[in-house]
Amino acid sequence: MYLLVILEQILFWGGLIVFLVSLAMYAGRTKDFKSLLMFWQPTIEFNPKEFKINRTGMTMMIVGLALRLAVNFIV
């Protein structure tokens, strides 16, 4: 049980870091900081590598949240 709690933390925070790295890669490449601040508008155009890293980070965070819900309902 404790392993799942630790895994959930690692997945969520690791995913957040990976997600932020993808945004930093985009900002470093394009110098378009306005798109990062206006995240509700679809103006970010990732290259394929940034896109894969971005989706990996988001997936890790979603799995971490799902694991948190699962652990809370198990207990």
Side-chain angles (χ1 to χ4, degrees), residues 1 3 6-7 20 22-24 30 32 35 38 42 45 49 51 53 57-58 65 74:
M1 182 59 94
L3 179 65
I6 292 170
L7 182 62
L20 293 175
S22 75
L23 295 179
T30 63
D32 182 18
S35 289
M38 297 175 32
E45 294 181 17
K49 183 179 179 181
F51 181 79
I53 292 172
M58 290 177 70
L65 289 173
I74 288 173

Side-chain angles (χ1 to χ4, degrees), residues 3-17:
L3 179 65
L4 292 177
V5 173
I6 292 170
L7 182 62
E8 170 251 316
Q9 291 290 320
I10 291 170
L11 283 172
F12 180 79
W13 292 108
L16 182 62
I17 290 169

Side-chain angles (χ1 to χ4, degrees), residues 19 23 33-44 46:
F19 177 75
L23 295 179
F33 300 105
K34 184 178 178 185
S35 289
L36 297 177
L37 295 175
M38 297 175 32
F39 57 88
W40 59 88
Q41 296 177 351
T43 57
I44 294 179
F46 291 119

Side-chain angles (χ1 to χ4, degrees), residues 48-59:
K49 183 179 179 181
E50 293 166 348
F51 181 79
K52 289 177 186 173
I53 292 172
N54 185 280
R55 292 303 185 236
T56 301
M58 290 177 70
T59 303

